Amino acid sequence: MGQDKAAHYDLQYQKENYFGYREWLYDRYIAGLIDVSGLNPGATVLDVGCGQGFFSYLFSKHGMVAHGIDISEVGIRAAQRTYGHRGVSFSVADIASNNLLRQFDCVFARGLSLYNRPDFSDNIEVTKSLLRLVKPTGVLMFLYYSNCSSKRSDSWRYHSWSELQSHFRQFQGARFYFSFKIDTFLFGRYAFTKLGTQINMLMSKVTRKGGDLICLVNKSPAGS
Ligand SMILES: C[S@@+](CC[C@H](N)C(=O)[O-])C[C@H]1O[C@@H](n2cnc3c(N)ncnc32)[C@H](O)[C@@H]1O
């Protein structure tokens, strides 16, 4: 299964910037998440399933010490080639094998394939294992592209808002948001509010445009 997934992404990541990320759009998005999570310059970040390393780079650009891991060797090679000289480190690793011994101020997982599963709302094993890698005062950032208006896609399951809440309900103080990214370009960290999320979800239903489901979990006894 892991090998199939790695082979799948190895093929995709042969294309430079496979997901077509634009720095101007995502820069403010990551800055807002850093701000709202209270991460300070010098904080350590583990980007799990970093792909071609774009988000690891953005954390580094904002003063964090970022390390990206992925099962795709092609992805990691691209990440090293593109961002390695900018102070970001990367390694090929499978988070499921769980052999990372150190903890981080922030574990960042955006679109991690292990969450792309139909039993997402009840199966919290991956989240528990990621939280073990978070320092006692640190934060887990979960981000997952979804389309609130439809669940149809052959390869990507669009989780719903209620499934997101159900998945994280046992983690004390979990904060939930839905973002189009452009909202953070306009409003910065203030996009990460209840009102901003409600407006975005309404817009998503009307326009059928997707965005990121987000949950920020500060480490707590329930999650450790
Ligand atoms: C949809 S991509 C997201 C990539 C990146 N985080 C982003 O937002 O653009 C999913 C990534 O998860 C990686 N992945 C899947 N299973 C993994 C595992 N067990 N350990 C580490 N990375 C994994 C895949 O190789 C792929 O790069």
Side-chain angles (χ1 to χ4, degrees):
M1 175 71 182
Q3 278 175 346
D4 287 355
K5 194 54 70 192
H8 169 80
Y9 279 105
D10 276 348
L11 209 62
Q12 298 195 325
Y13 292 150
Q14 281 170 16
K15 182 174 176 219
E16 200 178 323
N17 190 11
Y18 171 75
F19 289 110
Y21 290 133
R22 282 153 294 171
E23 189 168 334
W24 67 265
L25 180 60
Y26 284 88
D27 191 53
R28 295 264 291 170
Y29 184 51
I30 291 302
L33 284 169
I34 289 171
D35 200 354
V36 85
S37 303
L39 289 171
N40 294 314
T44 52
V45 177
L46 177 69
D47 180 3
V48 181
C50 67
Q52 292 171 304
F54 177 70
F55 290 97
S56 311
Y57 157 65
L58 289 181
F59 277 103
S60 164
K61 186 178 166 191
H62 288 282
M64 316 282 116
V65 180
H67 182 71
I69 64 167
D70 203 285
I71 49 172
S72 164
E73 287 191 33
V74 176
I76 291 297
R77 273 205 300 275
Q80 274 161 343
R81 199 171 51 242
T82 319
Y83 305 114
H85 62 286
R86 304 198 203 192
V88 199
S89 63
F90 298 98
S91 55
V92 178
D94 183 344
I95 195 67
S97 70
N98 232 342
N99 51 12
L100 284 160
L101 296 175
R102 51 182 288 233
Q103 290 187 315
F104 298 80
D105 295 305
C106 171
V107 171
F108 174 83
R110 180 173 186 274
L112 177 61
S113 315
L114 297 174
Y115 282 116
N116 181 17
R117 50 193 303 155
D119 63 351
F120 168 73
S121 54
D122 305 317
N123 191 328
I124 58 168
E125 289 315 306
V126 178
T127 298
K128 279 175 30 185
S129 72
L130 293 182
L131 274 163
R132 282 195 278 275
L133 296 171
V134 178
K135 284 184 185 173
T137 53
V139 63
L140 169 66
M141 289 187 191
F142 167 92
L143 290 81
Y144 188 95
Y145 180 81
S146 197
N147 181 335
C148 292
S149 64
S150 141
K151 279 199 164 59
R152 271 169 308 176
S153 161
D154 288 343
S155 55
W156 194 252
R157 187 177 188 279
Y158 292 131
H159 302 321
S160 68
W161 178 251
S162 62
E163 286 169 335
L164 176 77
Q165 292 193 312
S166 168
H167 182 99
F168 287 100
R169 74 176 156 233
Q170 80 162 87
F171 301 104
Q172 263 172 23
R175 289 174 283 164
F176 301 96
Y177 308 104
F178 181 74
S179 173
F180 287 123
K181 279 83 72 179
I182 191 77
D183 45 340
T184 58
F185 184 75
L186 299 171
F187 305 114
R189 66 164 289 176
Y190 300 101
F192 298 111
T193 57
K194 206 170 164 187
L195 179 64
T197 289
Q198 283 169 345
I199 293 171
N200 287 340
M201 287 186 56
L202 189 67
M203 297 257 295
S204 176
K205 287 204 174 88
V206 173
T207 63
R208 303 181 74 84
K209 264 184 74 69
D212 276 357
L213 292 171
I214 300 166
C215 183
L216 305 181
V217 185
N218 286 92
K219 185 103 171 225
S220 69
S224 51

